[in-house]
Amino acid sequence: MELIFKLDPATDPRVLAFLQEHLDDMHRISPPESVHALDASQLRQPDIRFWTGWTQQQAGPALAASCALKQLDAGHVELKTMRVGAAHRGSAAAQQVLAHALAQARAGGAKRISLETGTEAFFAPARRFYQRNGFVPCAPFGNYHPDPNSCFMTLAL
């Protein structure tokens, strides 16, 4: 399954529902002060670019994934809102989303990409995925502060 990526304004009802599922999961798993997921209005800020990944189905395009890049400074971006829908987990979708995000970061001149994910067991597959892709632990960056529920990772591009 190949994903087709679209720079997205986060206004389509399917996208809004997908984002709400993400937010609901984050609030179900992490304490409120440790939830750093962005809602649709935050994804529309000028320092953020948001993409959705779609599959072509017989009935038409189906939303499979999302990712965003937040510009921290001229050479540093943050990976935000990377999510693969439940129906596509375990496929190559996550690798495609990350490859897309890394290509977009490089094209935008970034020299470093960082992310925050959770420390709870729910996030263990994500942490392993990022480690397999070269991300290493790092100190909090941007506006983050040390948090026992947050794992910070970075990758030099």
Side-chain angles (χ1 to χ4, degrees):
M1 161 207 64
E2 185 170 341
L3 295 179
I4 301 160
F5 290 95
K6 163 182 144 177
L7 197 56
D8 200 301
T11 56
D12 183 308
R14 296 169 295 179
V15 173
L16 296 175
F18 190 82
L19 291 170
Q20 190 59 54
E21 285 176 19
H22 181 61
L23 288 167
D24 291 347
D25 277 351
M26 298 305 99
H27 284 282
R28 180 177 51 81
I29 295 156
S30 300
E33 67 276 7
S34 297
V35 174
H36 303 289
L38 303 178
D39 66 24
S41 66
Q42 292 168 308
L43 289 168
R44 294 185 202 110
Q45 297 304 307
D47 60 341
I48 295 178
R49 292 177 291 156
F50 173 66
W51 293 270
T52 48
W54 301 79
T55 60
Q56 189 55 49
Q57 306 291 320
Q58 194 167 11
L63 180 58
S66 67
C67 67
L69 293 176
K70 179 179 182 179
Q71 197 73 44
L72 300 174
D73 64 38
H76 190 191
V77 295
E78 180 182 2
L79 179 62
K80 298 291 293 182
T81 314
M82 184 166 155
R83 181 172 180 85
V84 173
H88 300 283
R89 293 185 190 140
S91 70
Q95 199 64 54
Q96 288 181 60
V97 176
L98 182 59
H100 176 78
L102 295 176
Q104 293 297 320
R106 287 183 182 105
K111 303 294 180 217
R112 179 176 169 207
I113 185 169
S114 300
L115 62 90
E116 180 276 337
T117 191
T119 57
E120 294 92 343
F122 175 88
F123 298 103
R127 292 190 306 269
R128 286 191 301 270
F129 171 76
Y130 292 125
Q131 287 171 335
R132 279 195 312 272
N133 281 279
F135 283 82
V136 295
C138 68
F141 56 88
N143 293 326
Y144 290 107
H145 302 286
D147 179 346
N149 297 299
S150 288
C151 172
F152 302 100
M153 304 178 86
T154 194
L155 174 70
L157 297 175

